[in-house]
Amino acid sequence: SAAMFVAWQLRPGSAVAIKDTIPAGTRRLHLTNACLTADSSKAVLLWRSGGEALTLLRLSQAELSASMNVQVELDGSHSYSLEVVGGSVDVAGFVELTEEADDARIARKMSEKRPVKEAAVKAGDAKSSAKPSAPAAKGLSAQQKAEARKSEPKKAEVPAAKKASAQAAAPEKQAPRQPEKEVKDFVAAKTFAGKRPGMVFKKGAQGVGYYRDLGPMATGTKRKADDKGAKASNSQQRKVVTAAGGLRYEVMKAAPPGAVRAKKGQHVQVRYDGRLASNGKRFDKGTIRFKLGGGEVIKGWDLGVADMQVGEHRRLLIPAALGYGAQGAPPDIPRNADLTFDVELLRV
């Protein structure tokens, strides 16, 4: 079966009906993570089935995020919903689709991207066929022909040099490009109100709101440094370490001396930024708490976060075999995709 990533933004007083937010043909739902939003101090996450409520977890300032291992078989005979009490929560997970449902989803996407070239050609043919033909001149006297020519609108004469230049440049004409919208450095917002192009929602130096996305650079771009000497020194100290299974990582920022080191079996909290290694496109970011080495996250994370110290930043270069493999996590992560994660260990 195929898998697809799902997420919800839950607000107090409104329930999310599961069947209305996932594709038809879903046979199993997995809930994996929940995170308290910046504007909330505590919240209780509830699962409702046929009128009965089940408490999944409680979040507070002491535990801003938590991992779950909730699996629900969706047989269509019950109505399921998610809701929160006391605060707002972002919930993530994935669904398992039947092969028929996955094929239908892919076919629907292909049909939405069908080229419109054929329609444009037909429109052009219709336009040319509708062009009025010149009036017949048979049966008119010489005087009538002269008067008809005088009544016709005169065309402005174009010098031969300009005409030739315009004809040569005609094939290169393109539709005027729309001016790109300028991305602001900061837009204040008390709550998350959906994605904004080129911006991320977080609590920063100017308060809670949307900040310009200054994430990791894609391959081939350049960024000016205020101190070239310091940058060169840091790049020389970094080295790529190869771990088990083909995982590679580099330490972007070392932890302070004496910082606690994460060990297998401990619960750790990590801030992360995930991108596709092929083009640098971000597919996820946030914070997560999980049991290190417990199989609650992808294998590349269990291996890459192991032995990190609190305050340390690493860039994990995870091959597909240690990520989502041949199955992927559509629509954001394609099959056999290598991944790049920038991770920071917040606490153990």
Side-chain angles (χ1 to χ4, degrees):
S1 62
M4 187 180 79
F5 174 81
V6 290
W8 298 274
Q9 298 168 358
L10 304 180
R11 300 291 180 263
S14 61
V16 174
I18 299 300
K19 70 176 183 178
D20 296 337
T21 58
I22 59 176
T26 300
R27 67 179 189 180
R28 186 178 295 118
L29 169 66
H30 297 257
L31 300 177
T32 57
N33 300 99
C35 181
L36 195 66
T37 60
D39 59 323
S40 301
S41 58
K42 61 181 180 178
V44 179
L45 179 62
L46 302 176
W47 172 267
R48 288 194 179 273
S49 174
E52 296 183 0
L54 172 67
T55 300
L56 297 182
L57 52 82
R58 299 174 184 272
L59 298 174
S60 64
Q61 290 298 317
E63 188 175 13
L64 297 175
S65 62
S67 301
M68 298 182 285
N69 188 17
V70 179
Q71 300 183 23
V72 183
E73 298 287 342
L74 304 176
D75 55 8
S77 60
H78 295 82
S79 60
Y80 305 103
S81 63
L82 281 170
E83 61 182 84
V84 289
V85 177
S88 301
V89 176
D90 293 336
V91 180
F94 63 94
V95 295
E96 294 182 32
L97 305 176
T98 61
E99 292 185 4
E100 293 80 4
D102 189 43
D103 291 342
R105 180 179 62 84
I106 295 174
R108 185 169 59 255
K109 281 195 171 186
M110 294 296 291
S111 64
E112 291 173 355
K113 297 179 181 179
R114 185 177 299 163
V116 295
K117 184 176 180 181
E118 182 179 350
V121 171
K122 290 182 179 180
D125 293 343
K127 186 176 180 180
S128 61
S129 61
K131 188 180 293 184
S133 57
K138 290 183 178 180
L140 297 177
S141 65
Q143 184 178 358
Q144 290 173 326
K145 289 179 181 179
E147 291 177 356
R149 280 195 296 270
K150 288 181 181 180
S151 62
E152 290 179 357
K154 294 183 178 181
K155 295 182 179 179
E157 294 184 0
V158 180
K162 287 187 178 181
K163 187 182 293 185
S165 175
Q167 290 175 351
E172 299 179 3
K173 280 188 177 180
Q174 297 179 352
R177 183 176 297 177
Q178 295 292 333
E180 297 181 358
K181 293 184 178 179
E182 181 181 355
V183 179
K184 298 182 179 179
D185 290 330
F186 173 71
V187 177
K190 293 183 178 180
T191 60
F192 181 78
K195 293 183 178 179
R196 285 175 175 252
M199 306 191 81
V200 293
F201 182 81
K202 64 180 182 179
K203 183 177 181 180
Q206 300 184 55
V208 179
Y210 291 88
Y211 288 78
R212 182 194 292 269
D213 184 5
L214 300 176
M217 294 182 296
T219 303
T221 62
K222 295 181 179 179
R223 185 177 294 172
K224 293 183 178 179
D226 296 331
D227 188 350
K228 295 183 179 179
K231 181 178 178 180
S233 175
N234 288 338
S235 63
Q236 289 173 359
Q237 293 175 4
R238 290 180 194 164
K239 65 177 182 178
V240 177
V241 179
T242 301
L247 169 74
R248 295 180 298 148
Y249 70 86
E250 57 180 321
V251 178
M252 309 300 291
K253 178 185 175 184
V260 178
R261 192 177 296 275
K263 297 180 181 179
K264 185 177 180 180
Q266 293 179 322
H267 283 84
V268 297
Q269 187 166 356
V270 175
R271 180 184 292 118
Y272 66 93
D273 187 328
R275 297 173 182 261
L276 300 179
S278 59
N279 56 17
K281 180 181 179 181
R282 174 187 290 132
F283 56 84
D284 194 15
K285 71 176 299 184
T287 59
I288 185 173
R289 180 177 172 84
F290 64 96
K291 183 178 181 181
L292 186 59
E296 297 179 359
V297 292
I298 59 176
K299 187 68 174 177
W301 268 50
D302 274 337
L303 296 174
V305 177
D307 212 35
M308 282 184 70
Q309 292 179 277
V310 174
E312 180 181 343
H313 293 232
R314 283 187 184 180
R315 177 165 294 170
L316 307 181
L317 309 173
I318 302 176
L322 299 180
Y324 295 91
Q327 203 172 46
D332 298 310
I333 303 176
R335 296 170 176 147
N336 299 311
D338 295 339
L339 309 174
T340 300
F341 279 94
D342 282 4
V343 296
E344 177 189 1
L345 184 59
L346 300 177
R347 64 171 65 99
V348 176

